[in-house]
Each structure stands twice: as C-alpha cells, then as structure tokens.
Amino acid sequence: MSKFIRVYEKKVLLLMLFCIGILSCCIYIKRNSFQNKVITAQVQDSKIHESCELLLVNTYLLRISEASENFYDEYYTINPVVNYYSITVKEFLSDARISLVTFTSNPYLGPHESIGIDEITFSADYIGHVQLEKFDHIISYHLPENLKSLEKKRAPGKYEED
C-alpha cells in the first residue's frame, strides 16, 4: 500500500509541477502582451502628437513667415526663409474662449545659414480670428563672409558668439 501511495504522490507532484509550468507560461505571455499594448499605445500617441504639431505648423506657416519678414526687413536685403522643418511648437494653451500657440522659429538666408531663433505667439479666438500676439527675437547669428552683403545692419539682441 505504501508503494501505491508513493507512486500516487509522484504523479500528483508531477501534475502540480506541470500545472505550475503552464500557469507560469500563461502569466509570462499575458504580461508581455500587456507591455506590447502599452508600448504600441505610447507610439501611437507620439505619432498623433507629432501629427498635431505638424498640422499647427503648417496651418500657421504663412503667418509665421510674414511675421519673420516684417521683423527682419530692416536688417537684411532679402526675406529670410522659414520652412515647416525649421519651426517647432513650443507651447499651446487653450480655454473655451481663446487659444494661444507659441512657435520657435529658426529662419535662414542662403544655403540654410540660420540668422537667429525667434519665438512667435499667436492667439485664435472661438470664431477663428487669428492675431500675432508677440514676436520675440531670442538669439542672432552672424552671417558668413559670403553672405555679409545681404546684411543692411546688425540685428538686435544677443549673439551666440558674444
């Protein structure tokens, strides 16, 4: 009889170990599946965020370009170039009545010679009126010698090399 009990105990023990192994595999698979879903959701959120920023930049691009041209007109003989890839969204604030969006712009002359860094803030009200609120010239860059003839006078503000 004791031999029968030992054989039975061995089978029960093996069955329990087998069940624990299967349960461990299921938990591992479930945990990795959950982590993959979280990572996928984060990637999708990041892509949506980038798309929204690009949408804002593209929507305001003409206004940003016009604000840059107005500011730099007295300093350079040609208008600076401002492209979607030289602009980022710095800040976005909104309530039910008005939205404010601040862009950081890096206008350039010639073959992509940056002339400065600007922060440009626009407001948009609930009926769609858009207005330039603030244009802050943050940093200026010196032009290389081959583009010095484009400079009417030195742009104001702090220069990177100063």
Side-chain angles (χ1 to χ4, degrees):
M1 177 93 168
S2 75
K3 186 176 181 183
F4 178 73
I5 293 174
R6 285 185 200 152
V7 170
Y8 182 69
E9 285 177 355
K10 286 180 183 179
K11 287 182 180 181
V12 169
L13 183 61
L14 286 173
L15 182 61
M16 287 176 50
L17 288 173
F18 180 73
C19 289
I20 289 172
I22 289 176
L23 183 61
S24 297
C25 288
C26 289
I27 290 171
Y28 176 78
I29 290 169
K30 185 72 170 173
R31 190 182 74 183
N32 282 347
S33 173
F34 177 74
Q35 287 176 345
N36 288 341
K37 286 179 184 176
V38 169
I39 290 169
T40 301
Q42 289 172 344
V43 168
Q44 287 174 344
D45 286 348
S46 175
K47 287 181 181 179
I48 289 171
H49 182 74
E50 289 173 15
S51 294
C52 288
E53 282 194 12
L54 186 57
L55 175 65
L56 271 173
V57 168
N58 289 341
T59 302
Y60 282 85
L61 185 59
L62 291 176
R63 288 183 169 96
I64 294 168
S65 182
E66 184 179 285
S68 285
E69 288 172 8
N70 289 340
F71 177 79
Y72 289 106
D73 185 52
E74 67 180 285
Y75 305 107
Y76 298 102
T77 60
I78 63 172
N79 291 327
V81 177
V82 181
N83 287 324
Y84 72 93
Y85 53 81
S86 65
I87 300 169
T88 58
V89 176
K90 178 182 179 190
E91 185 177 44
F92 179 80
L93 303 169
S94 187
D95 62 25
R97 199 177 55 78
I98 194 165
S99 297
L100 294 172
V101 60
T102 301
F103 298 96
T104 301
S105 172
N106 197 344
Y108 61 89
L109 296 174
H112 298 277
E113 291 294 335
S114 179
I115 56 175
I117 297 175
D118 305 316
E119 288 182 2
I120 307 164
T121 303
F122 293 94
S123 65
D125 65 18
Y126 64 98
I127 56 174
H129 293 118
V130 176
Q131 180 176 326
L132 175 65
E133 291 295 323
K134 188 168 54 169
F135 186 101
D136 287 331
H137 180 67
I138 307 299
I139 294 176
S140 294
Y141 299 116
H142 295 288
L143 287 176
E145 289 302 318
N146 62 322
L147 297 177
K148 286 280 188 190
S149 62
L150 300 176
E151 196 172 47
K152 291 180 185 176
K153 64 181 181 178
R154 184 178 165 140
K158 181 179 190 269
Y159 276 76
E160 186 179 67
E161 294 84 30
D162 292 348

